[in-house]
Amino acid sequence: MNAVNFASVSRKTILYSIIILVFAIFSVRLFQMQIVNHEIYDEKSAGNSIKPIEQIPLRGVFYDRNMNVLVDNIPAYTLRITPADYDTSLNKILDKVLGVNPGYVASILKRNQIYSRFIPIRIRRGIDFQIVSWLEENSEFLPGVDYIVEMQRGYPFGVMGSHLFGYTKEISSQQLEKEKDYYRPGDYVGHNGIEKQYEKDLRGEKGFHYVLVDSRRREIGRYKDGAKDKESIKGRDLILSIDGDVQKVAEEEFKGRRGAVVAIEPSTGEILALVSAPEYDLNQFSYITTKDFLQELYSDPDKPLFNRATMSLKPPGSTFKILAAIAALDLGIIDVNTTIYCGGGFTFGRFFKCHGSHGSVNVIHAIEKSCNTFFYNLIYKIGLERWKEYAIKFGFNRKTGIDIGEEAAGFIPDESYYKKLYGENWPRSIMASLGIGQGEVSVTPLQLAKYAALIANDGKSFSPHIVKGYLDNRAGEIVPFHFDEIDLKIKKEVFDVVKQGMFLVVQGSGTATHLRNPEYHISGKTGTAQNPHGKDHAFFIGFAPSENPKIAVAVVVENVGFGGTYAAPIAKKMMDAYLLKDKLKNQKQKDQQPIIAGARVED
Amino acid sequence: MRIDYKISDKFDFKIFIPVLILTIIGLAAVYSSTLNNPQATDNFERQLLFTLVAYVVFFITYALPTNTFKLISGPSYIFALLLLVVVLIAGKRVSGAKSWLAFGSIGFQPSEFAKIATILLLANFLTRLNNNIDSFKDILISLMIGFIPVGLIMLEPDMGTSFIFISFILIILFWKGISLLGLFVVLSPGFVAIASLFGSVPFIASLVVVLVVLFFFKRDLFFNGSVFAINLAAGFFTDNLYNALSPHQQARIKSFIDPMSDPLGSGYNSIQAMVAIGSGGLFGKGYLQGNQTQLQYIPEQWTDFIYCAIGEEFGFIGAMTVLSLFLIIFIRLLNIASTSKDEFLSIVVIGIFGVYFTHFLINVGMVIGILPIIGVPLPFVSYGGSSMLLNMFMLGIVLNIFRTRKNYA
């Protein structure tokens, strides 16, 4: 025990062993890291320093059927802040310069706190050029503040199309969660309308530029001089079936009114115009939408965000008489010679009034005069179930499948419905109103337009739609989308009969004779739906030219009164815009020529 | 039998050449890791100057009479303590620690100088003992010589350097011949202290282990009682010490106990260092081609994380070369220590070995992710004037001892 331990061999050996052990452990560890797991670390290292920069492609634009641009991309300035370089004491100044509520900049910064401090945050889109020049002048006092030029939606053609086009908006966190393969926070996606429905066509394909970044994620150059970059692919330009002129006329006619109109090309199901009024300004959505603007839209009693064309449900009034006529004729219950006597009303349990005393009328004149008595009788002859069958054939009680998002199915009652409501012995008198489109029946304007188109084209058409196809920019041709064909399999003679009646509504002594014009013939049917909450809703369905229909229209104007007076003239103006397009253009040019000539002289 | 026929008999090339290569590799790595950093543009030039000065100091030290070192041991120790006190009062605070004395643009770390001063005095004291150090008194005096500078350095606070001190003091005591019991008395408080960091259950378990071991040494109750009391105190003291630590040091200890607790905070350097080395592969990415190094993923890589730059740019080959050079140096130091017949010089060499080896162990261990992040430089390689100067000074002492080894036979 008392041997001198100093520098003993055993102690030297222990130190040797420790050195060798440490050397061995370090060597094994290096081997494991640099040889065995090299690829894992290599990948991490590459991911560290090579940052993919998303290249957002240009969103596809919308053309109308005449290849006029309806929705375009226009450059706009976006103010950004990079939090790492930014001094929050500038918040107040920026709020003032941007003209926003105090605290706006701070609130956006706070919302983005979860992301890297080195990634710029978009503070406001679409800032004025004055603000941009102010930023330029004061850039040295505004660390971390910059602006970029981005593309935003523009509507150069003067068509509002608020419910048609929809808008683009920053992606919601819920949608981001669902589609995180493609989208990143801050991406803009289509909301509502065509923008939403055709998002995948419109958005194109993102590209990536790979850049080298340092540990603070600052860019310091291109990776391999861009050899690995993937360029973005522009979104598809959509060709809409909309006719800009018709759409514009409809929008103008609906200014200051509530209601909806849908126009369809009968042979194709292509929608020529679709308006829901009141509209709202889509330009407002191109910017980072202010809360005030949204609040205003939500609280407006006229509900401008509500798409009346596809969502509003109302009893269609007398426009539904055609349906009963077709059912009765097709089922052979009546023929063109069958007459019913109208002495000013109809008694079934109680008395149902007609608006006149039409005497003995056949189906053609019943339509012309919109005789209630005829159709009160007819519905009992057809029976509720068979009547509903025909309604469903024409597309009521279900969605049309139009290619813009939200849509209501509407409602057509049947026996089981009344049984549930009133019991086994439900009062059969309820049925009478259905014959004239009143009571428990509810339809959308879009369904009515489809109905009008099917009548116009003798029961054959395509599922109503707004987008015809897209423009293949490389091949320079239009690639069409395909839509379901509709064939009601109803005899042409049946349509011939009801169309005679609809012809006389305008051209005879019917309810819309004021639409008569020297250029072309219009067929139609007016309707007036009683409204317990105020004035009646005015309805009109029709098509023109009567002999070879090119346009079918359904118009609903809320709370104005008689259909022939308020709804029919709007349809007429739209038909003019569509059918007399060249003539109207020439007219316009003639009117404007002197002015243009004058301008040329000045040039 | 002994004929002075070669210069290699007077100058140990086996240790000098590896050090020379390491300093060259170090300069290359410092150049690479500061190349793209605007805050460190002149660091390479400075390091080049430091290295040249350090080599001059090395040769002067080499040529001094060997007994100088024993003579200066007392005064230099007192001078070192003085500097350590001055630095606490007038030092410059760099990244949380007051460890720098600034003279114009040149900074100096007194703790670097304190290392060799402590080694010299400790060697001097231990040489006076004729036999093994077994008595409580001897151990206590030895520990006091060692732990006064440690205490001052902990106040800076510089944990890394404190660790180095504790480590080389233990190696010196071990070399001098401390008995197993003595070693146990010295080591057990540290063991208990570390255990207490992991929570109260490991703390109590470690105390039980201490009790069992004490039982086997079969000493009297008073002895056992005092040792156990010291251990108990060490455990509770650690808790207080931990609370006294700055938050970033606490975070480092936490991230060692659970490395993934904070991958973006104190775990960040560790992860990035491992990525740098692992991605180097067999041959490395090429000099000046390492993206981790060139893109500054590791802050101040030229100091404590210099080994990453080598591992990334020169790969497994480069990393192993550095390891092997150190291996040669360590074995050579051990040989010189054991062949030196003079006890004082032998202990000095083993103390210097202790400093180099602990630096190497902690630095490389932390960079390759098997030890916690404790900021100590890699000898001869890392950027830093004070450490380069003192390391070369110590190497001068070693080669001086080698030169005159036969005179003390």
Side-chain angles (χ1 to χ4, degrees):
Chain A
M1 278 297 280
N2 279 334
V4 176
N5 287 334
F6 168 70
S8 69
V9 176
S10 65
R11 288 187 185 231
K12 190 183 165 189
T13 313
I14 289 173
L15 287 183
Y16 264 131
S17 313
I18 292 173
I19 295 169
I20 300 295
L21 185 72
V22 167
F23 183 79
I25 292 172
F26 284 5
S27 307
V28 169
R29 175 70 173 172
L30 283 175
F31 185 80
Q32 182 210 2
M33 286 169 76
Q34 298 189 290
I35 311 291
V36 182
N37 292 332
H38 168 235
E39 268 166 34
I40 299 170
Y41 289 111
D42 206 28
E43 209 170 280
K44 273 192 188 161
S45 161
N48 246 351
S49 48
I50 302 163
K51 186 170 94 172
I53 304 268
E54 272 182 355
Q55 303 295 307
I56 306 285
L58 222 48
R59 204 170 167 85
V61 303
F62 300 171
Y63 291 100
D64 83 344
R65 63 190 300 114
N66 307 310
M67 297 307 284
N68 294 313
V69 177
L70 293 179
V71 177
D72 200 357
N73 297 307
I74 55 168
Y77 298 104
T78 299
L79 181 98
R80 306 190 306 174
I81 288 177
T82 308
D85 306 325
Y86 179 70
D87 178 357
T88 48
S89 65
L90 292 170
N91 282 355
K92 274 185 192 162
I93 301 166
L94 285 181
D95 282 341
K96 216 170 202 177
V97 170
L98 290 174
V100 291
N101 295 338
Y104 171 84
V105 173
S107 70
I108 291 192
L109 288 177
K110 202 174 170 204
R111 207 189 306 154
N112 288 280
Q113 258 173 354
I114 45 172
Y115 306 114
S116 166
R117 291 171 49 74
F118 301 103
I119 296 173
I121 297 168
R122 288 192 186 91
I123 300 296
R124 199 171 172 83
R125 290 190 173 208
I127 55 172
D128 292 343
F129 188 73
Q130 286 101 303
I131 300 176
V132 172
S133 35
W134 181 84
L135 287 175
E136 281 287 353
E137 279 163 32
N138 298 290
S139 60
E140 58 184 306
F141 309 113
L142 300 165
V145 181
D146 68 352
Y147 66 89
I148 49 165
V149 178
E150 283 187 307
M151 287 305 192
Q152 72 177 35
R153 283 307 208 194
Y155 308 90
F157 204 66
V159 172
M160 303 211 32
S162 45
H163 301 90
L164 196 57
F165 303 144
Y167 51 90
T168 58
K169 206 176 128 189
E170 208 171 305
I171 190 165
S172 67
S173 47
Q174 294 99 307
Q175 193 181 352
L176 189 61
E177 187 56 36
K178 267 187 253 164
E179 296 174 71
K180 53 187 162 201
D181 291 347
Y182 185 83
Y183 296 107
R184 295 284 170 272
D187 279 358
Y188 270 58
V189 293
H191 273 246
N192 292 357
I194 300 167
E195 298 274 20
K196 182 181 182 182
Q197 197 73 13
Y198 290 90
E199 166 72 13
K200 288 210 167 79
D201 292 295
L202 289 168
R203 73 187 182 190
E205 209 173 305
K206 280 181 190 170
F208 291 96
H209 283 179
Y210 294 95
V211 295
L212 289 169
V213 292
D214 68 6
S215 55
R216 297 187 67 200
R217 310 302 283 170
R218 284 178 305 211
E219 293 171 29
I220 50 176
R222 298 291 285 273
Y223 173 64
K224 293 196 175 167
D225 287 328
K228 297 268 174 177
D229 289 359
K230 181 174 162 262
E231 295 304 326
S232 62
I233 299 168
K234 186 184 178 300
R236 285 171 172 172
D237 295 334
L238 297 182
I239 316 288
L240 310 193
S241 58
I242 298 294
D243 186 301
D245 296 329
V246 181
Q247 177 78 16
K248 225 188 295 182
V249 165
E251 286 176 357
E252 240 139 66
E253 287 300 310
F254 264 102
K255 265 189 192 135
R257 284 175 170 165
R258 279 179 291 126
V261 59
V262 180
I264 296 181
E265 184 179 64
S267 59
T268 59
E270 290 174 0
I271 291 174
L272 300 170
L274 184 149
V275 175
S276 168
E279 303 212 48
Y280 52 91
D281 186 4
L282 286 175
N283 280 306
Q284 295 273 6
F285 282 98
S286 302
Y287 313 132
I288 288 178
T289 321
T290 58
K291 264 198 186 130
D292 295 349
F293 173 63
L294 273 179
Q295 202 57 48
E296 206 176 290
L297 285 180
Y298 279 123
S299 58
D300 190 328
D302 286 344
K303 294 187 187 161
L305 288 171
F306 181 64
N307 187 349
R308 289 173 159 80
T310 60
M311 298 285 287
S312 78
L313 292 170
K314 291 183 176 58
S318 299
T319 58
F320 233 46
K321 287 173 179 164
I322 315 288
L323 177 73
I326 289 171
L329 286 164
D330 194 46
L331 291 166
I333 294 164
I334 57 164
D335 62 25
V336 73
N337 299 317
T338 311
T339 57
I340 290 171
Y341 181 77
C342 167
F346 170 71
T347 310
F348 191 106
R350 68 175 181 89
F351 183 70
F352 292 92
K353 227 182 114 188
C354 190
H355 48 79
S357 221
H358 300 108
S360 275
V361 284
N362 68 359
V363 64
I364 294 172
H365 292 292
I367 292 171
E368 181 189 2
K369 300 283 181 194
S370 199
C371 172
N372 287 352
T373 311
F374 186 90
F375 292 98
Y376 288 142
N377 276 289
L378 210 53
I379 187 97
Y380 288 99
K381 290 184 174 161
I382 300 165
L384 187 55
E385 293 302 300
R386 285 200 290 185
W387 174 78
K388 182 175 179 174
E389 242 170 68
Y390 275 85
I392 287 176
K393 264 192 186 181
F394 276 93
F396 297 104
N397 205 36
R398 61 191 159 104
K399 295 179 178 180
T400 65
I402 188 180
D403 50 347
I404 47 162
E406 291 177 308
E407 189 184 356
F411 182 70
I412 304 291
D414 54 16
E415 278 187 28
S416 64
Y417 170 77
Y418 286 122
K419 273 180 194 164
K420 214 179 277 170
L421 215 59
Y422 301 107
E424 202 61 39
N425 290 320
W426 56 278
R428 299 298 192 273
S429 57
I430 290 173
M431 273 171 66
S433 322
L434 298 178
I436 62 160
Q438 306 277 14
E440 286 84 355
V441 53
S442 68
V443 305
T444 66
L446 174 64
Q447 285 174 332
L448 278 182
K450 180 185 175 185
Y451 165 67
L454 282 167
I455 297 167
N457 211 41
D458 301 333
K460 293 185 184 67
S461 187
F462 286 84
S463 176
H465 56 271
I466 292 170
V467 180
K468 289 172 76 169
Y470 67 89
L471 190 66
D472 186 334
N473 282 313
R474 256 172 294 174
E477 56 191 32
I478 295 168
V479 182
F481 291 133
H482 294 282
F483 297 91
D484 294 341
E485 205 175 337
I486 302 171
D487 186 355
L488 299 183
K489 303 227 160 64
I490 293 172
K491 284 169 291 215
K492 188 176 179 297
E493 296 75 48
V494 172
F495 289 107
D496 288 344
V497 174
V498 296
K499 277 162 134 178
Q500 278 185 54
M502 290 173 78
F503 182 79
L504 292 175
V505 168
V506 180
Q507 309 299 139
S509 51
T511 51
T513 50
H514 51 296
L515 300 191
R516 218 177 290 173
N517 68 77
E519 306 287 347
Y520 58 91
H521 293 145
I522 298 174
S523 301
K525 181 76 197 79
T526 59
T528 306
Q530 287 149 14
N531 173 25
H533 306 295
K535 273 189 168 177
D536 293 346
H537 301 311
F539 283 77
F540 179 78
I541 62 166
F543 51 85
S546 302
E547 299 74 17
N548 177 27
K550 293 261 185 274
I551 176 171
V553 185
V555 188
V556 180
V557 188
E558 292 178 8
N559 307 104
V560 284
F562 184 57
T565 314
Y566 297 98
I570 294 175
K572 160 78 166 48
K573 287 225 165 109
M574 290 167 71
M575 288 166 176
D576 282 350
Y578 191 60
L579 299 172
L580 308 176
K581 193 181 284 276
D582 297 336
K583 204 174 172 186
L584 286 174
K585 260 198 194 127
N586 291 339
Q587 186 92 36
K588 228 180 196 175
Q589 260 171 14
K590 246 181 236 163
D591 292 350
Q592 286 177 350
Q593 239 161 23
I595 303 163
I596 292 167
R600 282 207 183 125
V601 170
E602 270 175 39
D603 276 347
Chain B
M1 192 177 146
R2 291 195 194 100
I3 308 155
D4 270 17
Y5 61 92
K6 264 187 184 170
I7 186 175
S8 61
D9 194 48
K10 292 278 179 202
F11 192 82
D12 189 9
F13 285 102
K14 286 179 191 166
I15 199 162
F16 180 76
I17 298 292
V19 168
L20 186 66
I21 297 172
L22 280 177
T23 51
I24 291 167
I25 291 176
L27 282 171
V30 168
Y31 179 77
S32 175
S33 59
T34 56
L35 185 61
N36 287 322
N37 195 306
Q39 293 142 20
T41 41
D42 55 349
N43 278 22
F44 172 72
E45 285 79 3
R46 287 167 71 103
Q47 181 70 355
L48 190 63
L49 187 71
F50 292 146
T51 308
L52 292 175
V53 172
Y55 270 88
V56 172
V57 169
F58 163 76
F59 282 111
I60 292 170
T61 314
Y62 170 73
L64 289 174
T66 307
N67 59 5
T68 320
F69 307 125
K70 201 164 198 168
L71 287 175
I72 63 165
S73 65
S76 61
Y77 183 79
I78 290 163
F79 183 58
L81 290 187
L82 213 66
L83 285 179
L84 286 175
V85 173
V86 170
V87 83
L88 283 179
I89 299 161
K92 202 172 84 177
R93 199 170 282 279
V94 176
S95 58
K98 240 181 172 182
S99 60
W100 288 83
L101 280 178
F103 306 103
S105 68
I106 296 167
F108 179 74
Q109 275 183 294
S111 57
E112 289 292 332
F113 176 68
K115 285 173 195 164
I116 185 61
T118 307
I119 290 170
L120 291 176
L121 188 70
L122 201 54
N124 199 348
F125 169 73
L126 290 174
T127 314
R128 291 176 190 198
L129 304 172
N130 291 324
N131 214 325
N132 301 339
I133 39 166
D134 264 342
S135 76
F136 222 44
K137 193 187 105 197
D138 294 338
I139 292 176
L140 220 60
I141 294 173
S142 312
L143 290 183
M144 260 178 54
I145 294 172
F147 280 85
I148 291 171
V150 172
L152 290 170
I153 290 163
M154 275 182 167
L155 288 175
E156 287 179 359
D158 183 349
M159 264 216 311
T161 309
S162 310
F163 267 113
I164 304 282
F165 268 80
I166 293 166
S167 169
F168 77 72
I169 291 164
L170 287 175
I171 290 173
I172 286 173
L173 291 179
F174 177 76
W175 191 246
K176 168 61 190 170
I178 195 168
S179 68
L180 274 181
L181 176 67
L183 200 63
F184 173 72
V185 171
V186 174
L187 280 180
S188 59
F191 166 65
V192 173
I194 290 170
S196 73
L197 279 178
F198 286 85
S200 51
V201 175
F203 173 50
I204 291 163
S206 67
L207 285 177
V208 172
V209 172
V210 168
L211 275 179
V212 171
V213 176
L214 278 176
F215 175 76
F216 278 105
F217 278 117
K218 292 176 182 158
R219 290 301 186 93
D220 58 68
L221 194 66
F222 174 73
F223 180 85
N224 285 351
S226 357
V227 172
F228 185 73
I230 291 170
N231 276 294
L232 204 60
F236 285 116
F237 178 65
T238 306
D239 204 40
N240 290 330
L241 186 72
Y242 179 79
N243 290 332
L245 288 177
S246 57
H248 82 270
Q249 285 173 325
Q250 288 183 356
R252 280 175 179 186
I253 291 173
K254 262 190 221 149
S255 94
F256 172 53
I257 295 168
D258 179 12
M260 292 320 287
S261 65
D262 185 15
L264 286 175
S266 52
Y268 172 85
N269 285 354
S270 176
I271 291 166
Q272 294 303 339
M274 283 162 68
V275 168
I277 291 185
S279 62
L282 180 59
F283 296 107
K285 297 176 186 170
Y287 188 51
L288 306 182
Q289 303 300 315
N291 53 326
Q292 294 281 117
T293 300
Q294 299 307 324
L295 302 179
Q296 314 296 333
Y297 270 85
I298 300 151
E300 307 210 350
Q301 194 181 359
W302 50 91
T303 59
D304 299 345
F305 285 92
I306 194 75
Y307 194 59
C308 299
I310 297 164
E312 188 187 21
E313 300 195 337
F314 299 111
F316 184 64
I317 306 283
M320 283 307 291
T321 304
V322 171
L323 281 197
S324 307
L325 291 170
F326 274 107
L327 181 70
I328 295 167
I329 293 166
F330 295 146
I331 289 178
R332 193 67 196 146
L333 283 170
L334 215 50
N335 281 339
I336 294 172
S338 54
T339 50
S340 176
K341 297 296 179 289
D342 182 84
E343 197 173 336
F344 170 76
L345 297 178
S346 175
I347 292 175
V348 168
V349 174
I350 212 71
I352 291 169
F353 158 81
V355 172
Y356 290 164
F357 182 70
T358 315
H359 269 276
F360 166 82
L361 177 74
I362 294 178
N363 182 281
V364 177
M366 113 184 141
V367 167
I368 62 179
I370 55 184
L371 288 176
I373 301 292
I374 298 169
V376 300
L378 188 62
F380 311 116
V381 183
S382 284
Y383 171 84
S386 308
S387 79
M388 179 61 85
L389 210 65
L390 266 299
N391 284 331
M392 289 308 289
F393 173 61
M394 291 193 286
L395 191 77
I397 295 174
V398 172
L399 264 72
N400 183 310
I401 291 167
F402 177 83
R403 174 173 64 87
T404 61
R405 68 195 183 284
K406 285 155 195 171
N407 306 350
Y408 291 87

